[in-house]
């Protein structure tokens, strides 16, 4: 575990606390300039310059990174709000790249439905492990450029591999 | 289009030429330390340090980035070998993260079957556009940590959007 503030020390996770977590713990978030700009809805932005590809648009891996991180941040924030000490890890994903992003881009993670949150709570209470899907839209100048759905594992601390 | 050597100037694309392309044109490849180490099979590596997440393992977005880039590099190299001036762009993907990568990691892109290559050649000859899937395995210390399948568009130069 790298240095910096621990996730469980930080109640509640507002924008600044979440950004501090990313800066301390996620090296590529620093390198690619990925930043949290809002938490309701969970919104992250990325600069085009640090993420350019050979076509002068955003690299697919960078669009994916900001989407995967937005989903992770949404779930991590939810666990902290529920006072559950967890690790959140991406297990699988599907992604579609719709049009090139030719300027800075923005990822918005969709809040899970109440039924989905309740199911996750029940799974965590019963076994200390849960799994849920989060969808994230990445847009550029108000145009949807990429859609992402990730299945995340949520594992109560001490129960992970 | 950023500066640096153009793809079509570089026949054939050996390891050094491919690495020069990435360094010149793909900003995140530089930031994350993604490097080509072989072309048959197309193999890229990434250092753990530049790609750490909150759990002390490799960030999912970095595993994805090296896989997506390995698939792109394989197809770009094939197009250059066929003397086809193209743009290659990722359209969609599925990814599964199997176990955490706790050391430097390596992506190997699988060569398409001959039938798949011939189909792509026919599509390009007929319409200047094609599409094909490439699978990439990412491993760490000989253990498969992530599997990726990407559908890439291949568009003859001058025909893109």
């Amino acid at each position: 575990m790298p240095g910096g503030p621990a996730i469980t020390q930080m109640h509640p996770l507002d924008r600044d606390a979440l950004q501090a977590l990313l800066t301390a713990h996620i090296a590529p978030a620093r390198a690619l300039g990925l930043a949290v700009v809002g938490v309701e809805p969970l919104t992250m932005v990325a600069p085009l310059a640090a993420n350019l590809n050979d076509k002068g648009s955003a690299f697919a891996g960078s669009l994916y990174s900001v989407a995967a991180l937005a989903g992770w941040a949404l779930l991590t924030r939810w666990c902290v709000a529920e006072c559950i000490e967890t690790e959140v890890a991406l297990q699988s994903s599907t992604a579609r790249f719709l049009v090139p992003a030719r300027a800075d881009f923005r990822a918005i993670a969709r809040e899970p439905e109440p039924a989905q949150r309740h199911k996750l709570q029940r799974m965590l209470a019963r076994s200390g492990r849960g799994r849920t899907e989060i969808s994230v839209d990445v847009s550029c100048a108000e145009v949807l450029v990429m859609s992402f759905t990730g299945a995340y594992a949520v594992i109560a601390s001490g129960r992970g591999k």
Side-chain angles (χ1 to χ4, degrees), chain A residues 7-137:
Chain A
I7 290 174
T8 52
Q9 291 168 359
M10 309 184 76
H11 296 247
L13 277 180
D14 60 9
R15 192 210 72 87
D16 290 349
L18 211 40
Q19 182 62 49
L21 262 186
L22 295 189
T23 303
H25 293 295
I26 316 274
R30 294 191 297 273
L32 305 180
L34 312 183
V36 182
V37 291
V39 290
E40 285 179 355
L42 200 306
T43 306
M44 296 190 61
V45 293
L48 179 62
N51 294 290
L52 274 170
N53 67 10
D54 58 306
K55 293 171 279 291
S57 54
F59 172 52
S62 296
L63 296 170
Y64 185 93
S65 291
V66 76
L69 211 44
W72 175 88
L74 183 149
L75 275 173
T76 297
R77 188 167 180 269
W78 178 83
C79 291
V80 168
E82 296 282 315
C83 299
I84 308 168
E85 290 187 24
T86 55
E87 276 190 0
V88 175
L90 187 58
Q91 286 193 321
S92 63
S93 67
T94 58
R96 288 190 312 134
F97 301 88
L98 306 168
V99 288
R102 302 200 185 279
D104 299 351
F105 46 100
R106 171 177 299 256
I108 300 182
R110 287 187 222 151
E111 283 288 335
E113 296 295 320
Q116 192 184 344
R117 290 203 303 272
H118 294 153
K119 185 179 174 192
L120 181 56
Q121 283 169 321
R122 285 197 305 275
M123 293 166 85
L124 286 166
R126 194 172 57 222
S127 68
R129 289 168 180 267
R131 181 182 153 98
T132 197
E133 284 196 350
I134 301 291
S135 291
V136 182
D137 290 336

